[in-house]
Amino acid sequence: MNDTPRVAPKSPSEALKPVAPPAPPPKVRRRRRSPFLAMLSGLFTLLLVAAGVVGAGIAVVSNQSKAPGPLTSDRAVIIPKESGLTEIAELLEREGLIEHPLSFRIAAVVGGDWHKLKAGEYLFKARVSPQEILDIISSGKVVEHSITIPEGLTSEQVVERLRNNDLLTGDIAQVPKEGSILPDTYRFPRGFSRKGILDQMARSQSAVLKSIWARKPADLPIKTPEELVVLASIVEKETGRADERPRVAGVFINRLNQKMKLQSDPTIVYGLVGGKGTLGRPIQRNEITQATPYNTYVIAGLPPGPIANPGRAAMEAVVNHSRTKDLYFVADGTGGHVFAETLDQHNRNVGRWRQIETTRTQQGGKPPADSIDKVEPPAGPDNRTEVPATTQPASDAGAPGVAGPAPVAQPAGGVAGTRARAFDASEGTARDPLLNKTFDLNSPKQVPPLKGP
């Protein structure tokens, strides 16, 4: 609508004349849009669209990473060293743990786990999700294996066991000093070094020995921690029963206090074969008196070093030994030993053990096929006797072939008696007193009657 006021004509003719149009309004100058602002506007729009797409993708990836995976049963997978995120994702896909490698990689990047992934062996449960896989690998919770080193093995035997373990790596340049490592169960990841296990065993032995030595009684006839290990190694080889160790240790300590020879069969074996640990055959008569630095039938006191690696319990048994007057022990036929304070008592115990051996021989007993010492002593006469008709009281020589110190005396007139041949009773043959469960010398009802002279 035109708001310009109309002018009244002065005459009719003037009224017929056309009215001049009003002047056009002044033109408004439009400001030119900045190219930079236009670019920002487009970029913002693009970012909004991208954010929507990324958000939708993240939601999809998040759902996939938290969803149960395709693995149907538990499985161990080894992640090689220097594997990148792509290699790990491809490996997991091949092993059937994930279905979407790209989604897995995105989840690793978004979650910040991609630079934390560690090589090693991992155990994954069935239906494990990709996110759980990332958590396990980034935490380094690798599978731990174990190796058990039994008490009483020599260092050479321990090294051989470590070398035979395929999960360990590296070689062992030097066999540890006898008695310097602690038998126990040790846990380790796949690829751990054999030397690393030995180092752990040495540290454990040092710590345990220090603790036990601090609690030793004042009257213990042991001067150094090293001597404690020596005696503990003999106790370890003499009995496999935990309840007997303190009493066996007490026998040896009583003998040390009375300046008697220890007369322990395992010291004969170690003196002959050293770190190999076992003869693989019976002890021969001439070996019992064969002079070696370790043969306690020949030397006085303790041998110059341990004959094996004792466990914690054997070392504890030495410092907490039984306070008895026992000086002798012999197998009782049940896997343990019967103890005696006097030579006369011990002779009777040895006679009963002989009868048990005779009964077993008559029953045709054979050693187990998997025993360490597979050679069974042949039946027949021997050149010595443990229980002669008369003994020499002054003699404190032992009775090799039975577990523990025992008397040996020559029969009157110098004529040798007969008995089953000597054997290494500490290594697991069928005649090993630690394995026999047939008789119980402490129960008269189970002991076969002794034959008269």
Side-chain angles (χ1 to χ4, degrees), residues 312-333:
R312 178 195 296 264
M315 290 186 285
E316 291 276 7
V318 173
V319 299
N320 297 308
H321 59 276
S322 299
R323 302 285 177 160
T324 68
K325 296 181 180 179
D326 297 331
L327 293 172
Y328 309 94
F329 60 89
V330 67
D332 65 2

Side-chain angles (χ1 to χ4, degrees), residues 251-252 255-256 258-264 295-301 327 396-398 405-406:
V251 170
F252 289 125
R255 284 189 159 235
L256 288 174
Q258 296 190 27
K259 309 299 182 183
M260 298 174 66
K261 290 185 174 69
L262 297 186
Q263 299 172 334
S264 169
N295 188 350
T296 54
Y297 283 85
V298 177
I299 67 171
L327 293 172
D396 70 342

Side-chain angles (χ1 to χ4, degrees), residues 118-173:
K118 301 176 178 66
E121 181 182 13
Y122 298 92
L123 178 64
F124 300 103
K125 300 293 185 180
R127 311 298 292 174
V128 61
S129 69
Q131 184 58 55
E132 290 172 332
I133 295 174
L134 283 171
D135 293 341
I136 292 173
I137 300 178
S138 62
S139 68
K141 295 178 181 178
V142 297
V143 175
E144 284 195 331
H145 301 273
S146 64
I147 183 169
T148 298
I149 305 299
E151 295 88 345
L153 292 185
T154 66
S155 292
E156 188 173 326
Q157 291 172 321
V158 172
V159 167
E160 188 63 24
R161 289 204 174 201
L162 295 179
R163 285 174 175 161
N164 290 335
N165 190 302
D166 296 334
L167 300 176
L168 294 170
T169 60
D171 197 10
I172 298 172

